[in-house]
mmCIF file of all heavy atoms in Angstrom:
data_model
loop_
_atom_site.group_PDB
_atom_site.id
_atom_site.type_symbol
_atom_site.label_atom_id
_atom_site.label_comp_id
_atom_site.label_asym_id
_atom_site.label_seq_id
_atom_site.Cartn_x
_atom_site.Cartn_y
_atom_site.Cartn_z
ATOM 1 N N MET A 87 91.564 106.575 124.602
ATOM 2 C CA MET A 87 92.492 105.551 125.066
ATOM 3 C C MET A 87 93.542 106.154 126.001
ATOM 4 O O MET A 87 93.902 105.563 127.013
ATOM 5 C CB MET A 87 93.177 104.896 123.861
ATOM 6 C CG MET A 87 94.142 103.801 124.219
ATOM 7 S SD MET A 87 94.799 102.979 122.771
ATOM 8 C CE MET A 87 95.776 104.289 122.058
ATOM 9 N N PHE A 88 94.008 107.363 125.694
ATOM 10 C CA PHE A 88 95.045 107.986 126.523
ATOM 11 C C PHE A 88 94.493 108.663 127.765
ATOM 12 O O PHE A 88 95.253 109.044 128.643
ATOM 13 C CB PHE A 88 95.862 108.982 125.692
ATOM 14 C CG PHE A 88 96.941 108.313 124.915
ATOM 15 C CD1 PHE A 88 96.817 108.159 123.548
ATOM 16 C CD2 PHE A 88 98.056 107.813 125.545
ATOM 17 C CE1 PHE A 88 97.804 107.523 122.829
ATOM 18 C CE2 PHE A 88 99.055 107.180 124.840
ATOM 19 C CZ PHE A 88 98.927 107.032 123.466
ATOM 20 N N SER A 89 93.199 108.807 127.859
ATOM 21 C CA SER A 89 92.629 109.429 129.054
ATOM 22 C C SER A 89 92.412 108.413 130.174
ATOM 23 O O SER A 89 92.082 108.776 131.288
ATOM 24 C CB SER A 89 91.307 110.120 128.709
ATOM 25 O OG SER A 89 90.328 109.161 128.360
ATOM 26 N N LYS A 90 92.621 107.140 129.888
ATOM 27 C CA LYS A 90 92.458 106.095 130.900
ATOM 28 C C LYS A 90 93.667 106.076 131.835
ATOM 29 O O LYS A 90 94.802 106.226 131.388
ATOM 30 C CB LYS A 90 92.324 104.715 130.232
ATOM 31 C CG LYS A 90 91.224 104.627 129.191
ATOM 32 C CD LYS A 90 89.887 104.523 129.827
ATOM 33 C CE LYS A 90 88.848 104.274 128.738
ATOM 34 N NZ LYS A 90 87.609 104.874 128.965
ATOM 35 N N PRO A 91 93.446 105.857 133.127
ATOM 36 C CA PRO A 91 94.575 105.840 134.065
ATOM 37 C C PRO A 91 95.513 104.649 133.844
ATOM 38 O O PRO A 91 96.678 104.717 134.164
ATOM 39 C CB PRO A 91 93.912 105.775 135.439
ATOM 40 C CG PRO A 91 92.512 105.353 135.202
ATOM 41 C CD PRO A 91 92.168 105.716 133.787
ATOM 42 N N ASP A 92 95.022 103.546 133.289
ATOM 43 C CA ASP A 92 95.850 102.345 133.095
ATOM 44 C C ASP A 92 96.335 102.234 131.646
ATOM 45 O O ASP A 92 96.442 101.149 131.103
ATOM 46 C CB ASP A 92 95.069 101.094 133.500
ATOM 47 C CG ASP A 92 93.795 100.910 132.688
ATOM 48 O OD1 ASP A 92 93.283 101.907 132.134
ATOM 49 O OD2 ASP A 92 93.318 99.769 132.608
ATOM 50 N N ARG A 93 96.671 103.355 131.056
ATOM 51 C CA ARG A 93 97.067 103.359 129.649
ATOM 52 C C ARG A 93 98.424 102.679 129.450
ATOM 53 O O ARG A 93 99.222 102.564 130.381
ATOM 54 C CB ARG A 93 97.082 104.770 129.104
ATOM 55 C CG ARG A 93 98.105 105.659 129.741
ATOM 56 C CD ARG A 93 98.032 107.029 129.141
ATOM 57 N NE ARG A 93 99.098 107.850 129.692
ATOM 58 C CZ ARG A 93 98.930 109.034 130.192
ATOM 59 N NH1 ARG A 93 97.734 109.569 130.218
ATOM 60 N NH2 ARG A 93 99.934 109.709 130.666
ATOM 61 N N ARG A 94 98.667 102.290 128.194
ATOM 62 C CA ARG A 94 99.913 101.619 127.833
ATOM 63 C C ARG A 94 101.058 102.630 127.749
ATOM 64 O O ARG A 94 100.853 103.820 127.624
ATOM 65 C CB ARG A 94 99.748 100.961 126.467
ATOM 66 C CG ARG A 94 98.735 99.863 126.455
ATOM 67 C CD ARG A 94 98.727 99.214 125.082
ATOM 68 N NE ARG A 94 97.763 98.147 125.065
ATOM 69 C CZ ARG A 94 96.598 98.207 124.439
ATOM 70 N NH1 ARG A 94 96.249 99.267 123.768
ATOM 71 N NH2 ARG A 94 95.782 97.194 124.475
ATOM 72 N N SER A 95 102.269 102.087 127.718
ATOM 73 C CA SER A 95 103.444 102.944 127.553
ATOM 74 C C SER A 95 103.503 103.460 126.117
ATOM 75 O O SER A 95 102.891 102.887 125.205
ATOM 76 C CB SER A 95 104.719 102.161 127.874
ATOM 77 O OG SER A 95 104.943 101.181 126.868
ATOM 78 N N TYR A 96 104.258 104.532 125.930
ATOM 79 C CA TYR A 96 104.407 105.133 124.599
ATOM 80 C C TYR A 96 105.014 104.132 123.623
ATOM 81 O O TYR A 96 104.548 103.998 122.493
ATOM 82 C CB TYR A 96 105.272 106.388 124.696
ATOM 83 C CG TYR A 96 105.507 107.063 123.368
ATOM 84 C CD1 TYR A 96 104.499 107.784 122.746
ATOM 85 C CD2 TYR A 96 106.744 106.972 122.743
ATOM 86 C CE1 TYR A 96 104.705 108.400 121.520
ATOM 87 C CE2 TYR A 96 106.962 107.588 121.521
ATOM 88 C CZ TYR A 96 105.947 108.299 120.912
ATOM 89 O OH TYR A 96 106.149 108.899 119.703
ATOM 90 N N SER A 97 106.047 103.404 124.047
ATOM 91 C CA SER A 97 106.700 102.446 123.146
ATOM 92 C C SER A 97 105.746 101.315 122.760
ATOM 93 O O SER A 97 105.749 100.860 121.610
ATOM 94 C CB SER A 97 107.975 101.889 123.772
ATOM 95 O OG SER A 97 107.695 101.246 124.989
ATOM 96 N N ASP A 98 104.912 100.867 123.689
ATOM 97 C CA ASP A 98 103.909 99.840 123.377
ATOM 98 C C ASP A 98 102.892 100.382 122.377
ATOM 99 O O ASP A 98 102.529 99.710 121.408
ATOM 100 C CB ASP A 98 103.212 99.388 124.661
ATOM 101 C CG ASP A 98 102.246 98.251 124.431
ATOM 102 O OD1 ASP A 98 102.590 97.313 123.677
ATOM 103 O OD2 ASP A 98 101.126 98.299 125.000
ATOM 104 N N PHE A 99 102.471 101.621 122.593
ATOM 105 C CA PHE A 99 101.518 102.258 121.688
ATOM 106 C C PHE A 99 102.100 102.377 120.279
ATOM 107 O O PHE A 99 101.461 102.010 119.295
ATOM 108 C CB PHE A 99 101.135 103.642 122.221
ATOM 109 C CG PHE A 99 100.344 104.472 121.248
ATOM 110 C CD1 PHE A 99 99.007 104.193 121.013
ATOM 111 C CD2 PHE A 99 100.946 105.525 120.571
ATOM 112 C CE1 PHE A 99 98.272 104.957 120.112
ATOM 113 C CE2 PHE A 99 100.226 106.294 119.671
ATOM 114 C CZ PHE A 99 98.888 106.004 119.445
ATOM 115 N N ILE A 100 103.325 102.873 120.164
ATOM 116 C CA ILE A 100 103.960 103.047 118.855
ATOM 117 C C ILE A 100 104.155 101.693 118.182
ATOM 118 O O ILE A 100 103.939 101.548 116.974
ATOM 119 C CB ILE A 100 105.302 103.809 118.985
ATOM 120 C CG1 ILE A 100 105.034 105.258 119.381
ATOM 121 C CG2 ILE A 100 106.107 103.752 117.692
ATOM 122 C CD1 ILE A 100 104.197 106.044 118.394
ATOM 123 N N GLY A 101 104.556 100.698 118.937
ATOM 124 C CA GLY A 101 104.721 99.357 118.373
ATOM 125 C C GLY A 101 103.426 98.820 117.796
ATOM 126 O O GLY A 101 103.401 98.276 116.683
ATOM 127 N N ARG A 102 102.344 99.003 118.531
ATOM 128 C CA ARG A 102 101.036 98.549 118.054
ATOM 129 C C ARG A 102 100.565 99.344 116.830
ATOM 130 O O ARG A 102 99.997 98.792 115.903
ATOM 131 C CB ARG A 102 99.996 98.637 119.167
ATOM 132 C CG ARG A 102 100.195 97.603 120.248
ATOM 133 C CD ARG A 102 99.183 97.832 121.380
ATOM 134 N NE ARG A 102 99.366 96.901 122.445
ATOM 135 C CZ ARG A 102 98.734 95.727 122.535
ATOM 136 N NH1 ARG A 102 97.875 95.367 121.607
ATOM 137 N NH2 ARG A 102 98.955 94.935 123.544
ATOM 138 N N ARG A 103 100.798 100.657 116.841
ATOM 139 C CA ARG A 103 100.413 101.496 115.692
ATOM 140 C C ARG A 103 101.229 101.110 114.457
ATOM 141 O O ARG A 103 100.721 101.105 113.346
ATOM 142 C CB ARG A 103 100.595 102.983 115.996
ATOM 143 C CG ARG A 103 99.699 103.513 117.082
ATOM 144 C CD ARG A 103 98.244 103.267 116.853
ATOM 145 N NE ARG A 103 97.710 104.133 115.828
ATOM 146 C CZ ARG A 103 96.464 104.078 115.355
ATOM 147 N NH1 ARG A 103 95.618 103.200 115.837
ATOM 148 N NH2 ARG A 103 96.061 104.891 114.435
ATOM 149 N N PHE A 104 102.516 100.820 114.669
ATOM 150 C CA PHE A 104 103.374 100.399 113.566
ATOM 151 C C PHE A 104 102.817 99.136 112.919
ATOM 152 O O PHE A 104 102.683 99.060 111.708
ATOM 153 C CB PHE A 104 104.807 100.163 114.074
ATOM 154 C CG PHE A 104 105.762 99.728 113.004
ATOM 155 C CD1 PHE A 104 106.381 100.671 112.202
ATOM 156 C CD2 PHE A 104 106.039 98.385 112.805
ATOM 157 C CE1 PHE A 104 107.265 100.276 111.207
ATOM 158 C CE2 PHE A 104 106.916 97.981 111.811
ATOM 159 C CZ PHE A 104 107.536 98.928 111.011
ATOM 160 N N ILE A 105 102.461 98.169 113.743
ATOM 161 C CA ILE A 105 101.903 96.910 113.223
ATOM 162 C C ILE A 105 100.546 97.156 112.566
ATOM 163 O O ILE A 105 100.246 96.595 111.518
ATOM 164 C CB ILE A 105 101.803 95.859 114.349
ATOM 165 C CG1 ILE A 105 103.211 95.419 114.758
ATOM 166 C CG2 ILE A 105 100.961 94.665 113.923
ATOM 167 C CD1 ILE A 105 103.274 94.626 116.042
ATOM 168 N N ARG A 106 99.760 98.007 113.154
ATOM 169 C CA ARG A 106 98.401 98.253 112.644
ATOM 170 C C ARG A 106 98.377 99.120 111.385
ATOM 171 O O ARG A 106 97.514 98.950 110.532
ATOM 172 C CB ARG A 106 97.570 98.909 113.732
ATOM 173 C CG ARG A 106 96.130 99.055 113.363
ATOM 174 C CD ARG A 106 95.356 99.592 114.532
ATOM 175 N NE ARG A 106 93.980 99.745 114.141
ATOM 176 C CZ ARG A 106 92.962 99.543 114.921
ATOM 177 N NH1 ARG A 106 93.152 99.177 116.164
ATOM 178 N NH2 ARG A 106 91.745 99.724 114.498
ATOM 179 N N ILE A 107 99.318 100.051 111.263
ATOM 180 C CA ILE A 107 99.304 100.973 110.123
ATOM 181 C C ILE A 107 100.395 100.655 109.106
ATOM 182 O O ILE A 107 100.115 100.460 107.921
ATOM 183 C CB ILE A 107 99.448 102.442 110.592
ATOM 184 C CG1 ILE A 107 98.257 102.837 111.455
ATOM 185 C CG2 ILE A 107 99.562 103.385 109.393
ATOM 186 C CD1 ILE A 107 98.407 104.183 112.136
ATOM 187 N N TYR A 108 101.654 100.602 109.549
ATOM 188 C CA TYR A 108 102.752 100.500 108.603
ATOM 189 C C TYR A 108 102.804 99.147 107.904
ATOM 190 O O TYR A 108 103.018 99.078 106.696
ATOM 191 C CB TYR A 108 104.099 100.791 109.292
ATOM 192 C CG TYR A 108 105.233 100.839 108.305
ATOM 193 C CD1 TYR A 108 105.431 101.959 107.507
ATOM 194 C CD2 TYR A 108 106.095 99.764 108.148
ATOM 195 C CE1 TYR A 108 106.459 102.019 106.585
ATOM 196 C CE2 TYR A 108 107.124 99.810 107.225
ATOM 197 C CZ TYR A 108 107.307 100.932 106.443
ATOM 198 O OH TYR A 108 108.318 100.975 105.525
#
Side-chain angles (χ1 to χ4, degrees):
M87 181 175 67
F88 277 106
S89 67
K90 306 283 187 215
D92 60 337
R93 65 180 184 230
R94 295 184 179 107
S95 69
Y96 179 74
S97 59
D98 185 43
F99 170 75
I100 291 299
R102 289 175 182 268
R103 295 305 286 175
F104 180 84
I105 291 167
R106 187 175 179 145
I107 297 171
Y108 186 78

